[in-house]
Amino acid sequence: MINLGFFKGLPTEYIIRYRSGRVVRSGAGLAFYYLQHNTQIVAVPTSSADGNFVFNEVTQNFQAVTIQGQFTYRIADPQTAAALLNFTMEPRRRTYIADDPQRLPQRIANVIQMQTRQLVQSRSLEDAIRDSQTIAAQVQNAIVTQGLLASLGVELLNVYFLAAKPAPEMSKALEAPYRESLLRRADEATYARRAAAVEEERKIKQSELNTEVSLEEQRQQLIDLQAANALREAQSRGAAFETEDAFRAAALQRELELFKALEPRLVLALGLRDLGQNAEKIGNLNITPDILSALLQSQEK
């Protein structure tokens, strides 16, 4: 059975080679042959990695808030990390023989939670929700400044709070004022739209009324003009009739003056002649001897 093996580390792995419990070689991305029976290989990943967390904390006004987020880290001091956690790898299958590498994100999350708790407990529920990103930045700054992860050989690169949510019933209570505000604004918009419609309708009716008034005024002016014209026409006709009557009266007067100079019998004869000439326009006319005698006698007198 061959007892010789070959191991090739990745550039993002810090390799520590142990032989019979002693470090014989260490460095990034090492490649070497080894004796399987007395060699242990520790591979510490140095690339950045992400971790998730969900915290349930209590605010200053004793309200529960759930904070969900993500952080990015990398192992900056592989030897310190290897001294605290077991990164021993089974070289043929390239798997860790312990679960310590999977526990590292949880340890980092615990440190983040402790810093988050201090900041959340100093704020009200509303402030904690509103300032969630500010709190995340303050948590990262505190951890880096105080070197809280230096003992793990870890460097914290970023901390993000993806959500900060209160309890469901409290969330509804917080949403109620804004929801009512939106509903009130919607009602105001509806009322404004209705008021605008009413105003436009009033303007239309006012315009129609003004048009009707204008038409009635024009009609009244037309009636007044027609009446004035009719009056002037009547006055003109009356003056013409008076002039014609005057002419007729004058002509008749002159004609009568001519008859006055004639003998009465001659005048009677002329009258009878005119009656005869217009006989066809007269229906029935009976002149008895008595009537004729009476006319002659009146003429003689």
Side-chain angles (χ1 to χ4, degrees), residues 176-192:
Y178 184 69
R179 182 170 55 250
E180 293 299 326
S181 176
L182 290 180
L183 293 175
R184 184 165 57 253
R185 289 168 58 186
D187 292 340
E188 291 174 355
T190 301
Y191 298 151

Side-chain angles (χ1 to χ4, degrees), residues 72-130:
T72 302
Y73 71 96
R74 74 180 186 89
I75 298 177
D77 188 350
Q79 293 184 353
T80 300
L84 294 175
L85 299 172
N86 187 0
F87 286 92
T88 302
M89 178 177 288
E90 203 288 316
R92 288 181 298 177
R93 292 181 295 178
R94 297 190 64 85
T95 57
Y96 292 107
I97 63 174
D99 58 357
D100 284 6
Q102 285 74 36
R103 294 179 181 178
L104 181 59
Q106 183 58 47
R107 294 190 179 186
I108 299 173
N110 293 338
V111 174
I112 294 175
Q113 183 175 11
M114 294 304 299
Q115 294 300 313
T116 301
R117 178 173 301 169
Q118 296 177 9
L119 295 173
V120 169
Q121 289 180 350
S122 64
R123 287 174 167 82
S124 64
L125 176 62
E126 294 85 346
D127 292 339
I129 295 174
R130 183 174 54 250

